[in-house]
């Protein structure tokens, strides 16, 4: 149990376009999901906390108008990178704590590699 | 804010040897400490975790120890195998101001190489 999926697994886009990344909890419900960004050979940096039915909470320094988050259901959160630029190229990973489990445990998706040309 | 330091950044061992990775956290309110294994191009995989009311936890070849007074915790892998080669991240939880969920602060990672 506790499987998290992401789609797409990788995406290449032109500078200035928008890209949507989906994060799904496959066998559990998640009222909260977390979005991370990871640059090569670096650690995971939390970007924002996605809350079902309410606004996302962004970490300091993360532009909320550039990284749009929508948590429309208990199993789906989406991250949209708007007007992507080459510096947005990174590995984006989501995680979710199952509602049935202790609130601390987070399970991660497989990640989405974004390359902006 | 909360900070997690992790050492070493790289670790190379021979197959069958033990590997130890150490982390130190700054927020004394942290009460949950997971360890993740990340293989190249994949998402992190939870391998073991420990809560603050426990000093040690073991799962087959993997063990974690926690010293709350000193605010440090360690991952121990015994009888290492080549498939243990990956990047390992420690993390410490801090409470969010709403929702009741904790967010994780990650260490910088340790790249473990197990040589046959």
């Amino acid at each position: 149990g506790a499987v998290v999926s992401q789609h797409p697994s990788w995406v290449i886009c032109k500078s200035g376009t928008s890209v949507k990344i989906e994060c799904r909890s496959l066998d559990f419900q998640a009222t909260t999901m977390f979005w991370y960004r990871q640059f090569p050979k670096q650690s995971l940096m939390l970007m924002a906390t996605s809350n079902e039915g309410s606004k996302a909470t962004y970490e300091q320094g993360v532009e909320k108008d550039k990284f749009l988050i929508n948590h429309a259901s208990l199993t789906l959160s989406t991250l949209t990178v708007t007007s992507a630029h080459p510096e947005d190229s990174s590995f984006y990973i989501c995680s979710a704590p199952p509602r049935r489990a202790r609130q601390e445990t987070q399970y991660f998706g497989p990640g989405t590699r974004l390359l902006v040309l | 804010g909360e900070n997690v330091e992790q050492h070493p950044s790289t670790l190379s061992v021979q197959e069958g040897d033990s590997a130890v990775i150490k982390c130190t956290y700054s927020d004394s309110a942290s009460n949950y400490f997971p360890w993740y294994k990340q293989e190249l191009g994949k998402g992190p995989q939870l391998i073991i975790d420990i809560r603050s009311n426990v000093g040690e936890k073991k799962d087959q070849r993997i063990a974690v120890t926690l010293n709350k007074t000193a605010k440090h915790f360690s991952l121990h892998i015994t009888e290492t195998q080549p498939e243990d080669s990956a990047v390992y991240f420690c993390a410490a939880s801090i409470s969010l101001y709403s929702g009741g969920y904790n967010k994780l602060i990650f260490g910088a990672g340790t790249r473990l190489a197990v040589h046959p």
Side-chain angles (χ1 to χ4, degrees):
Chain A
V3 178
V4 178
S5 71
Q6 283 184 240
H7 178 81
S9 56
W10 60 270
V11 57
I12 301 174
C13 69
K14 293 182 178 180
S15 184
T17 61
S18 294
V19 175
K20 179 183 286 188
I21 302 170
E22 294 185 348
C23 176
R24 292 182 185 273
S25 55
L26 298 186
D27 55 356
F28 64 94
Q29 293 181 333
T31 55
T32 297
M33 291 183 176
F34 299 92
W35 286 96
Y36 294 83
R37 180 166 52 183
Q38 185 178 36
F39 292 107
K41 296 188 178 182
Q42 293 189 21
S43 188
L44 289 82
M45 296 302 296
L46 180 65
M47 298 175 64
T49 303
S50 172
N51 303 298
E52 188 266 336
S54 65
K55 292 182 178 180
T57 304
Y58 291 81
E59 295 299 301
Q60 190 173 7
V62 178
E63 300 176 57
K64 62 179 181 181
D65 294 331
K66 181 170 184 60
F67 299 99
L68 301 179
I69 292 174
N70 183 22
H71 195 143
S73 76
L74 290 173
T75 60
L76 174 65
S77 175
T78 60
L79 169 68
T80 301
V81 183
T82 62
S83 186
H85 291 285
E87 58 265 31
D88 297 323
S89 299
S90 189
F91 193 48
Y92 292 87
I93 317 172
C94 68
S95 74
R99 289 180 72 188
R100 65 177 184 272
R102 286 179 179 252
Q103 295 173 342
E104 310 97 337
T105 308
Q106 291 187 29
Y107 296 94
F108 283 81
T112 297
R113 188 161 302 281
L114 170 64
L115 176 61
V116 184
L117 302 177
Chain B
E2 170 72 295
N3 182 50
V4 177
E5 294 189 359
Q6 182 172 347
H7 299 281
S9 57
T10 60
L11 181 58
S12 182
V13 300
Q14 289 296 124
E15 182 177 2
D17 288 349
S18 295
V20 180
I21 302 171
K22 298 181 179 182
C23 289
T24 304
Y25 61 98
S26 60
D27 190 342
S28 57
S30 294
N31 57 7
Y32 174 68
F33 309 92
W35 286 89
Y36 288 89
K37 174 184 180 182
Q38 187 178 29
E39 297 178 336
L40 189 62
K42 298 184 179 180
Q45 176 189 6
L46 179 68
I47 57 173
I48 196 168
D49 56 13
I50 191 168
R51 291 178 173 84
S52 59
N53 58 346
V54 176
E56 183 174 359
K57 183 177 179 180
K58 188 173 182 179
D59 182 4
Q60 300 183 342
R61 297 186 296 109
I62 296 174
V64 58
T65 58
L66 171 65
N67 183 329
K68 282 219 74 179
T69 302
K71 291 192 284 188
H72 64 69
F73 56 112
S74 301
L75 177 70
H76 305 252
I77 305 175
T78 58
E79 300 173 29
T80 54
Q81 302 166 3
E83 50 266 38
D84 293 331
S85 297
V87 179
Y88 291 81
F89 291 97
C90 64
S93 71
I94 59 174
S95 296
L96 295 176
Y97 61 87
S98 63
Y101 288 98
N102 293 2
K103 67 177 182 180
L104 297 177
I105 305 300
F106 284 83
T110 296
R111 188 172 300 275
L112 173 65
V114 181
H115 301 285

